[in-house]
Amino acid sequence: MDLLEGELEQIQSDTGAILQHHGTKRQELIPIIQEVQEKMGYVPKPAMQLIAEALKIPEVDVYGVTTFYNQFRMNPPGKHQIKVCMGTACHMMGGHIVLDCFERRLEIKEGETTPDREFSLERVACVGCCALAPVVDVDKKIEAKVSPIRVDGILLTYDIEKQEQEKKAKLEEEQKEGEEKGGQVE
Ligand code: FES
C-alpha cells in the first residue's frame, strides 16, 4: 500500500517515540507491535523496519509475528470499515457471496484497503445477531439480510456522500476565492 504524503515521516516519528519507552529485548516485540497498531490503526512496513533495528532482530521476524496474530492489521483502516460476518449462520445464509460482492466491487481482497483509503474490508466472526443473517457491519452499523443488490446500495450511498462533500468543498473554495478577490478590489 502506497504511503500518503508526509505519512512516512509521521510513522517514523511515532514509532521512534514508542521504541523509546521500551527495552531492546526480544520479548518487547509483541508489546511494541501492539502499541504501534493502537497508535496508527495498523502496523506499517517502515515501522517494522525500525522495530527490527531497535531489537536487533531480522525484519522477517517482526513481519512473521505481525502476520501470525489476527489482532494485527497489515493495511491501514479505511475511512469506512466494512466487516462481513462469517459466523456459521451468516455463512449458511450467503455471507461468502456478500464478501465476494464487496471484493469485486471494491477490487480488493478481504484484509485489504482500497488505494484511496476510502474502504477496508474484513471478515469477522459472529457479531451476535444471527437472526438477521447475513449481516455486515458498516462503520459499526449493522446491515441486516444483506443481498448482492444491497452491497451495491451501501457502496452507492458512500459514493453519493463523497461526491456531495467534494461539491461542497469546491463551492466553499470558490466562495473564498471570490471573497479574496472582492477584498483586493476595494
Ligand atoms: S453468524 Fe453472523 S451474526 Fe451470528
Side-chain angles (χ1 to χ4, degrees):
M1 164 116 332
D2 293 339
L3 295 176
L4 305 174
E5 207 187 317
E7 202 175 12
L8 176 63
E9 293 74 13
Q10 189 64 50
I11 291 169
Q12 287 169 334
S13 119
D14 287 346
T15 310
I18 290 168
L19 287 168
Q20 264 182 4
H21 61 262
H22 281 277
T24 53
K25 294 219 170 90
R26 202 191 164 95
Q27 55 262 42
E28 295 286 333
L29 180 55
I30 292 180
I32 291 172
I33 298 176
Q34 268 165 339
E35 218 176 304
V36 165
Q37 165 136 319
E38 227 164 82
K39 175 82 190 169
M40 303 173 214
Y42 76 117
V43 189
K45 281 226 172 83
M48 291 191 211
Q49 287 161 359
L50 291 173
I51 297 169
E53 275 169 33
L55 301 189
K56 297 188 178 51
I57 57 174
E59 205 183 311
V60 69
D61 289 7
V62 183
Y63 184 82
V65 169
T66 309
T67 48
F68 181 78
Y69 293 100
N70 276 343
Q71 57 170 310
F72 297 132
R73 294 181 59 100
M74 300 287 291
N75 288 301
K79 186 171 155 205
H80 303 295
Q81 297 181 30
I82 299 172
K83 298 174 183 170
V84 182
C85 180
M86 279 292 153
T88 310
C90 286
H91 182 73
M92 301 224 337
M93 295 299 283
H96 56 292
I97 298 172
V98 172
L99 180 62
D100 195 55
C101 285
F102 275 115
E103 286 184 337
R104 269 191 277 157
R105 284 281 278 104
L106 296 172
E107 297 181 10
I108 53 170
K109 291 280 168 208
E110 55 114 349
E112 294 180 349
T113 304
T114 51
D116 61 2
R117 309 262 179 114
E118 278 291 310
F119 298 99
S120 52
L121 180 64
E122 284 172 61
R123 62 158 68 205
V124 289
C126 178
V127 293
C129 37
C130 308
L132 306 176
V135 164
V136 179
D137 171 338
V138 185
D139 291 342
K140 301 202 171 113
K141 185 174 156 267
I142 293 292
E143 295 279 344
K145 300 187 190 294
V146 178
S147 63
I149 290 177
R150 183 67 195 125
V151 169
D152 286 342
I154 292 168
L155 296 177
L156 188 64
T157 310
Y158 286 117
D159 273 352
I160 293 170
E161 193 183 279
K162 194 180 169 199
Q163 280 170 21
E164 277 177 1
Q165 278 169 358
E166 283 170 358
K167 237 191 265 168
K168 199 173 152 215
K170 204 172 158 213
L171 270 175
E172 280 171 3
E173 183 122 328
E174 282 171 3
Q175 211 172 3
K176 210 172 135 203
E177 272 176 21
E179 278 168 12
E180 277 169 12
K181 275 187 197 150
Q184 279 166 10
V185 171
E186 280 171 33

